[in-house]
């Protein structure tokens, strides 16, 4: 909140036309929240920011007009339109608490991005259609700006080709269809007005709940917000895995054989070497004492609370301080945030409706526990600079519901640290969740580390975004299972159990 | 070997495990400690026998380690406190083991063990060993294994052993019953919730720490006062004359955590010198022995063929009110021990 306050203060005074902060719900929806929850938490966030800025002594009209929102747009077409319409009305309602004089201060402006989570690795050209429909929902909802995702983003980082199609999706809507020539075209539709009202009411209830807790900071700190989102995510996954919700090409109308598509290959070593060289050159050319003094001043400001953080950051960066150095300077004063990992259990099992296979698997796991004297124990690890942990959380929750003991490793681990923890907890298997294209180096590294530390018998499997052409490489390096987006969790759990059985028998 | 009267020699694999725990270093020792704890936790009968033999063979450290129990409600900051404390102790040259007991079990599911995510730096430190244990359904089972895991990490040279548990019921008593010093953590708003702290739990504490004092120092000071006066009314821990100290701290601030440790270490040194810790360990061992015997007897009683034969009709008679409970119990116990002089070694 200190950072937010300083940013709003600095931009209001020094760069009044700049959109000071983006109040984001995108990550909340991508992490699994439904539309009402995303809307409520985002608006509650915004309210907290406004309060922070006013507490700093700013006049509400000096900054409120430059606040900007950021929503995710998923596949539920009508609800996404209703969400954006409800957002405007609720934000106006919330802002009256601060008695703004300018009309602009109560107007919600927003950016939207089509959902990355809704993209599938299976039959990926379908993603063009999905993105188009989501983009239209955003436009119908009256978004001020839009980001469309590329068709291959469930598999890899986008190619030139896939990025062009994504951009053209917007251009077609904007320039060929006349969709954008009417403001709020759904107004007056009985169905849409009702949905908008229901959405607003549902979100308002949650906003009240947050308020009763003492505001959004408290709701986040206590872990309440995260828990709500994770419960919603587990429920959604179970609806998909059990076939209640359809995803074409994933749980219905599946292809017998997936054709592989060309994806962008990234050489992690080269990227890293290149960046290291650039940093070296930068450090050699800049005024080292000046940078050091500027960073020290920033740390001091963080510690004492006097001065403006953004002001000092700008000064340090003008001297060519790096982003890493700036955040280190803040960390020196404040320490590092640690996400509290709470446990959602029972939600997945409750929503998963295909009881037969589920119960059968539970019995198999119970039988394993009986034979071996303990439950199958699995560590779910995120490696490297990849903080996307929705998938890891959902898998952990479902595996525990099935009867696995599940260790969750800290975010941003090195391969060696991950191997050490796996051995220390004496797990049967390590599941590496990867969404940031680091698997080609990190996964072999963890297998290597496990062997070096005497844990060569531990089964390694991979979940997340892995391009099909990388599968062979990973299997060669000893990976026992790869589960891409859309793999039903019970199917992956069954396979993991089987691999563990084989490893135990071989030992 | 300590020459246990009935212990057979260890099988070769377990002998290697034992040697690795006691004498190896680095990753080899880490893996051996991990495997030994898994063996202790196993529910298989043959594993239990191997675990007993292993425990008997493990060396006892010449200089006893300090066993510290830490408990408090979820969100009080136990893991953060242990992270800061553990790193401080390592910096002073100690080797720290953390055994986390999680009693929150679901009926049929497994556990989610997230302790390491909250001890990010300690859990990757080479001088630390951090092991969360799944609940496995029964609290007694976890507590039993943890009590024995303490011996394993001590044999591996860890001289400070921290046993962490969430304060949600009986687990505090179990942890207080296996450690030298029981530290209870409280939130600064404890004053409001003092009713909610079970009096029995407060009576287990050797040291009470009010955490998160950085958020609201005034509230923390108030909580310290309220806890101190609440303790005036309680008995204090058995065998202790002095009231436990109550300290305010902030788990994210190393100097404040150091101050807590200073108080804890002074407390322990004094009681070690006076023999109070040795006495506490003796009485813990005796209670543990009694508990194991009771559990073993109960298990044998239920498995006894004569008891099982009589069980349905006796139960039905009790249910219907035809048979007084005391008579039913005596009948079943007599079936268990058999008539005087008879051979009853069926088990």
């Amino acid at each position: 909140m200190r950072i937010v306050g300083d940013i709003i203060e600095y931009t209001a005074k020094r760069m009044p036309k700049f959109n000071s902060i983006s109040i984001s719900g995108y990550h909340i929806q991508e992490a699994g929240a439904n539309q009402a929850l995303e809307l409520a938490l985002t608006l509650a966030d915004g309210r907290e920011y406004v309060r922070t800025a006013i507490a700093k002594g700013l006049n509400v009209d000096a900054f409120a007009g430059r606040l900007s929102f950021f929503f995710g747009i998923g596949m539920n077409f009508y609800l996404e339109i209703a969400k954006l319409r409800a957002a405007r009305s609720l934000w106006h309602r919330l802002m009256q608490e601060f008695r703004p004089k300018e009309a602009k201060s109560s107007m919600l402006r927003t950016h939207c991005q089509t959902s990355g989570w809704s993209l599938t690795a299976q039959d990926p050209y379908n993603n063009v259609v999905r993105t188009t429909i989501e983009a239209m929902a955003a436009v119908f909802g009256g978004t001020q700006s839009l980001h469309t995702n590329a068709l291959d983003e469930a598999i890899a980082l986008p190619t030139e080709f896939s990025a062009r199609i994504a951009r053209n999706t917007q251009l077609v809507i904007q320039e060929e269809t006349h969709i954008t020539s009417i403001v709020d075209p759904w107004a007056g539709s009985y169905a849409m007005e009702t949905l908008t009202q229901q959405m607003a009411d549902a979100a308002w209830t949650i906003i009240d709940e947050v308020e009763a807790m003492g505001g959004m900071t408290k709701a986040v700190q206590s872990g309440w917000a995260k828990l709500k989102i994770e419960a919603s995510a587990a429920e959604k996954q179970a609806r998909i895995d059990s076939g209640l919700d359809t995803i074409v090409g994933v749980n219905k109308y599946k292809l017998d054989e997936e054709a592989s598509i060309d994806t962008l290959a990234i050489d992690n070593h080269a990227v890293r070497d290149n960046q290291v060289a650039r940093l070296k050159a930068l450090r050699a050319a800049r005024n080292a004492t000046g940078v050091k003094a500027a960073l020290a001043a920033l740390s001091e400001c963080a510690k004492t609370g006097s001065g403006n953080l953004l002001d000092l950051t700008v000064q340090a960066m003008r001297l060519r301080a790096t982003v890493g150095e700036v955040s280190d300077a803040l960390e020196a004063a404040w320490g590092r945030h640690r996400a509290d990992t709470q446990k959602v259990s029972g939600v997945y099992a409750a929503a998963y409706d295909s009881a037969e296979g589920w119960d059968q698997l539970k019995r198999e796991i119970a039988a394993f526990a009986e034979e071996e004297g303990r439950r199958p124990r699995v560590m779910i690890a995120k490696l490297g600079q990849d903080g996307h942990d929705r998938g890891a959380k959902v898998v952990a929750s479902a595996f525990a519901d099935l009867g696995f003991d599940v260790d969750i490793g800290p975010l941003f681990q090195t391969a060696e640290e991950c191997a050490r923890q796996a051995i220390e907890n004496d797990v049967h298997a390590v599941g590496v969740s990867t969404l940031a294209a680091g698997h080609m180096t990190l996964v072999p590294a963890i297998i290597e580390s496990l062997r070096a530390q005497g844990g060569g018998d531990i089964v390694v499997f991979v979940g997340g975004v892995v391009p099909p052409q990388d599968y062979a490489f990973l299997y060669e390096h000893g990976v026992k299972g790869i589960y891409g987006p859309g793999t039903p969790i019970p199917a992956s759990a069954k396979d993991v159990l089987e691999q563990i059985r084989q490893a135990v028998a071989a030992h | 070997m300590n020459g246990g009267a009935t212990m057979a020699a260890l099988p070769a694999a377990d002998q290697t495990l034992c040697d690795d725990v006691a004498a190896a270093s680095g990753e080899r020792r880490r893996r051996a400690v991990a495997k030994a704890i898994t063996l202790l936790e196993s529910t298989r009968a043959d594993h239990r026998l191997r675990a007993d033999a292993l425990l008997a063979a493990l060396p006892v450290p010449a200089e006893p380690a300090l066993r510290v129990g830490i408990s408090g409600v979820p969100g009080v900051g136990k893991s953060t406190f242990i992270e800061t404390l553990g790193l401080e102790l390592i910096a002073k040259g100690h080797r720290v083991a953390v055994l986390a007991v999680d009693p929150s079990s679901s009926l049929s599911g497994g556990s989610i063990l997230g302790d390491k995510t909250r001890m990010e730096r300690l859990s990757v430190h080479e001088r630390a060993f951090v092991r969360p244990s799944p609940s496995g359904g029964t609290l007694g089972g976890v507590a039993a294994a943890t009590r024995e895991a303490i011996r394993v990490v001590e044999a591996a040279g860890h001289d400070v052993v921290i046993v962490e548990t969430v304060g949600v019921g009986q687990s505090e008593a179990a942890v207080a019953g296996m450690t030298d010093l029981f530290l209870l953590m409280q939130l600064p708003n404890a004053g409001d919730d003092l009713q909610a702290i079970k009096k029995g739990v407060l009576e287990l504490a050797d040291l009470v720490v009010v955490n998160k004092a950085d958020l609201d120092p005034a509230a923390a000071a108030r909580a310290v006062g309220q806890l101190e006066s609440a303790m005036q009314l309680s008995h204090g821990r058995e065998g202790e004359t002095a009231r436990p100290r109550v300290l305010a701290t902030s788990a994210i601030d190393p100097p404040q955590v150091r101050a807590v440790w200073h108080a804890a270490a002074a407390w322990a040194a004094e009681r070690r010198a006076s023999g109070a810790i040795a006495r506490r360990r003796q009485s813990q061992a005796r209670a543990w022995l009694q508990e194991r015997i009771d559990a073993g007897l109960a298990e044998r009683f239920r498995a006894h063929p004569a008891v099982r034969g009589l069980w349905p009709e006796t139960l039905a008679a009790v249910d219907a009110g035809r048979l007084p409970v005391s008579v039913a119990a005596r009948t079943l116990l007599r079936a268990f021990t058999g008539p005087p002089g008879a051979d009853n070694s069926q088990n």
Side-chain angles (χ1 to χ4, degrees):
Chain A
M1 277 301 146
R2 164 88 199 278
I3 297 178
V4 168
D6 280 10
I7 289 173
I8 296 177
E9 180 186 55
Y10 183 85
T11 51
K13 285 182 188 154
R14 303 281 292 274
M15 38 208 294
K17 293 259 165 91
F18 193 79
N19 292 329
S20 55
I21 49 172
S22 170
I23 307 163
S24 176
Y26 186 81
H27 63 295
I28 300 176
Q29 175 168 140
E30 287 287 290
N34 61 28
Q35 290 83 1
L37 186 60
E38 176 199 6
L39 178 58
L41 296 183
T42 310
L43 295 180
D45 246 345
R47 179 194 236 176
E48 192 98 337
Y49 292 168
V50 173
R51 283 179 182 158
T52 305
I54 287 176
K56 279 207 122 219
L58 292 176
N59 180 321
V60 63
D61 291 314
F63 67 89
R66 302 315 302 181
L67 299 176
S68 137
F69 285 80
F70 174 22
F71 289 103
I73 302 295
M75 285 303 286
N76 198 324
F77 186 71
Y78 295 119
L79 280 191
E80 293 294 0
I81 300 172
K83 177 178 82 187
L84 293 181
R85 299 182 83 242
R88 286 175 221 287
S89 126
L90 291 181
W91 184 243
H92 187 274
R93 201 194 297 180
L94 282 171
M95 283 306 288
Q96 299 324 300
E97 164 192 340
F98 308 106
R99 312 206 167 280
K101 298 204 176 55
E102 308 262 355
K104 270 195 168 168
S105 298
S106 306
M107 282 184 195
L108 175 139
R109 299 174 314 138
T110 189
H111 172 70
C112 286
Q113 180 176 345
T114 58
S115 164
W117 181 82
S118 69
L119 302 180
T120 67
Q122 295 82 348
D123 210 359
Y125 288 104
N126 291 341
N127 293 330
V128 177
V129 183
R130 294 193 176 99
T131 297
T132 305
I133 292 169
E134 291 170 346
M136 280 172 57
V139 172
F140 282 142
T143 188
Q144 269 74 22
S145 62
L146 181 62
H147 173 158
T148 37
N149 287 330
L151 66 102
D152 50 0
E153 287 190 62
I155 306 168
L157 297 175
T159 60
E160 288 257 336
F161 165 76
S162 66
R164 189 177 78 235
I165 301 296
R167 183 202 58 191
N168 289 353
T169 303
Q170 297 203 29
L171 294 178
V172 168
I173 293 175
Q174 195 170 17
E175 299 190 15
E176 292 186 21
T177 63
H178 298 276
I179 284 177
T180 54
S181 37
I182 297 175
V183 176
D184 197 9
W186 285 85
S189 146
Y190 169 74
M192 185 56 69
E193 295 295 355
T194 308
L195 283 176
T196 304
Q197 188 60 47
Q198 286 169 349
M199 179 67 67
D201 292 346
W204 192 257
T205 310
I206 302 171
I207 290 172
D208 276 346
E209 243 180 288
V210 171
E211 194 67 3
M213 241 176 286
M216 201 53 192
T217 309
K218 295 250 166 64
V220 170
Q221 260 172 3
S222 70
W224 176 88
K226 203 154 176 267
L227 215 56
K228 273 269 212 205
I229 295 167
E230 284 165 11
S232 174
E235 195 188 324
K236 174 74 183 167
Q237 190 61 47
R239 291 178 64 83
I240 294 166
D241 287 352
S242 63
L244 280 177
D245 287 2
T246 297
I247 298 182
V248 172
V250 174
N251 64 357
K252 217 172 170 184
Y253 316 115
K254 283 183 251 192
L255 289 182
D256 293 333
E257 204 173 314
E258 295 275 348
S260 82
I261 62 167
D262 288 336
T263 51
L264 185 69
I266 293 195
D267 181 346
N268 284 318
H269 291 298
V271 171
R272 185 169 187 280
D273 293 347
N274 193 1
Q275 185 64 7
V276 168
R278 279 183 63 195
L279 280 171
K280 212 169 158 187
L282 176 87
R283 293 206 168 106
R286 69 187 183 181
N287 171 357
T289 30
V291 172
K292 212 170 154 196
L295 290 171
L298 182 61
S299 276
E300 192 57 25
C301 165
K303 229 175 265 161
T304 60
S306 69
N308 186 296
L309 292 168
L310 183 54
D311 185 21
L312 290 165
T313 301
V314 170
Q315 288 180 32
M317 288 198 161
R318 286 213 167 110
L319 295 168
R320 292 279 173 267
T322 65
V323 173
E325 288 166 337
V326 165
S327 57
D328 283 348
L330 296 176
E331 187 181 343
W334 293 334
R336 185 175 286 255
H337 170 74
R338 267 172 262 164
D340 195 9
T341 308
Q342 306 219 23
K343 311 158 187 187
V344 186
S345 58
V347 181
Y348 184 91
Y352 185 83
D353 209 32
S354 164
E356 213 173 295
W358 179 266
D359 287 346
Q360 170 64 22
L361 189 52
K362 273 187 94 158
R363 278 193 298 275
E364 280 173 35
I365 289 166
F368 178 95
E370 187 83 8
E371 282 159 39
E372 293 301 318
R374 62 168 175 154
R375 296 180 174 281
R377 187 162 176 172
V378 176
M379 185 162 106
I380 305 288
K382 298 275 336 173
L383 295 183
Q385 296 307 309
D386 174 6
H388 301 84
D389 65 350
R390 169 182 183 171
K393 289 296 182 50
V394 171
V395 169
S397 162
F399 272 49
D401 285 352
L402 276 166
F404 285 85
D405 283 327
V406 185
D407 291 273
I408 304 180
L411 289 176
F412 312 127
Q413 284 179 301
T414 67
E416 200 183 310
E417 289 166 354
C418 170
R420 174 182 293 176
Q421 305 207 358
I423 289 170
E424 193 163 273
N425 290 6
D426 198 18
V427 298
H428 292 107
V430 174
V432 181
S433 162
T434 171
L435 290 169
H439 54 275
M440 295 297 269
T441 44
L442 290 170
V443 174
I446 184 172
I447 293 174
E448 187 53 39
S449 294
L450 281 169
R451 281 187 192 140
Q453 297 178 30
D457 54 328
I458 294 175
V459 172
V460 175
F461 61 95
V462 178
V465 176
V466 177
Q469 56 267 39
D470 294 350
Y471 280 31
F473 173 87
L474 292 175
Y475 283 131
E476 264 164 43
H477 280 77
V479 169
K480 296 290 183 205
I482 302 171
Y483 314 109
T487 312
I489 290 175
S492 62
K494 197 173 163 60
D495 196 43
V496 168
L497 181 69
E498 186 48 43
Q499 296 294 343
I500 290 175
R501 271 190 191 287
Q502 286 179 17
V504 169
H507 229 67
Chain B
M1 294 288 287
N2 61 1
T6 56
M7 284 304 162
L10 290 179
D14 291 352
Q15 186 62 53
T16 312
L17 197 58
C18 178
D19 293 345
D20 282 354
V21 167
S25 60
E27 304 304 346
R28 194 176 168 86
R29 174 172 58 196
R30 183 179 303 278
R31 184 169 176 279
V33 173
K35 289 282 175 199
I37 294 177
T38 300
L39 190 61
L40 301 173
E41 287 175 348
S42 177
T43 53
R44 245 166 69 173
D46 58 325
H47 286 170
R48 185 64 254 171
L49 292 176
R50 284 172 55 200
D52 283 341
L54 178 69
L55 282 169
L58 283 174
V60 176
E63 196 59 28
L66 183 59
R67 303 169 182 171
V68 183
I70 296 184
S71 185
V73 294
V76 71
K78 292 180 292 299
S79 302
T80 311
F81 180 78
I82 293 170
E83 161 115 326
T84 310
L85 176 62
L87 291 169
E88 285 289 317
L89 291 173
I90 285 172
K92 283 175 152 186
H94 292 285
R95 285 185 51 219
V96 178
V98 180
L99 304 171
V101 182
D102 183 349
S104 63
S105 66
S106 55
L107 281 175
S108 59
S111 306
I112 296 185
L113 306 151
D115 306 77
K116 291 200 176 191
T117 62
R118 297 186 293 262
M119 295 176 211
E120 217 167 81
R121 286 163 61 213
L122 184 65
S123 66
V124 298
H125 201 291
E126 59 169 341
R127 291 180 69 81
F129 186 94
V130 181
R131 173 80 172 234
S133 284
S135 51
T138 60
L139 176 61
V142 193
T146 305
R147 191 183 286 267
E148 294 168 349
I150 292 175
R151 293 196 56 154
V152 175
V153 293
E154 285 178 357
H158 291 277
D159 58 349
V160 178
V161 182
I162 296 172
V163 183
E164 178 204 0
T165 186
V166 185
V168 289
Q170 305 206 311
S171 55
E172 295 102 328
V175 169
M178 64 177 85
T179 49
D180 301 327
L181 186 163
F182 186 65
L183 189 156
L184 184 66
M185 293 183 70
Q186 291 286 324
L187 287 168
N189 63 357
D192 312 332
D193 302 335
L194 208 52
Q195 302 292 342
I197 310 173
K198 291 196 199 77
K199 203 166 144 242
V201 175
L202 213 51
E203 282 169 6
L204 293 171
D206 297 308
L207 188 62
V208 181
V209 169
V210 176
N211 191 27
K212 305 197 183 182
D214 52 316
L215 295 182
D216 188 349
R222 257 196 323 276
V224 168
Q226 283 165 334
L227 282 162
E228 275 171 345
S229 59
M231 307 263 247
Q232 294 299 329
L233 303 172
S234 74
H235 300 296
R237 197 163 174 182
E238 206 185 324
E240 284 291 329
T241 44
R243 301 273 173 220
R245 284 186 66 185
V246 184
L247 299 170
T249 196
S250 162
I252 53 173
D253 184 26
Q256 292 190 51
V257 172
R258 222 176 290 146
V260 172
W261 179 250
H262 197 73
W267 184 96
E270 192 186 305
R271 275 152 191 81
R272 192 166 273 168
S274 73
I277 285 186
R279 280 197 298 281
R280 183 177 279 185
R281 284 195 182 186
Q282 273 170 17
S283 75
Q284 285 172 347
R286 286 182 183 194
W288 179 228
L289 177 65
Q290 191 61 51
E291 215 176 300
R292 286 307 288 253
I293 291 172
D294 291 350
L297 280 177
E299 203 176 294
R300 286 184 189 197
F301 174 78
R302 280 189 209 101
H304 195 281
V307 173
R308 289 171 72 130
L310 280 175
W311 189 254
E313 49 176 299
T314 313
L315 205 63
V318 168
D319 284 349
R322 277 182 276 117
L323 192 64
V325 168
S326 60
V327 178
R330 190 144 37 85
T331 313
L332 287 168
L333 284 168
R334 195 178 301 135
F336 177 55
T337 53
D343 178 21
N344 63 330
S345 59
Q346 285 96 330
N347 289 310

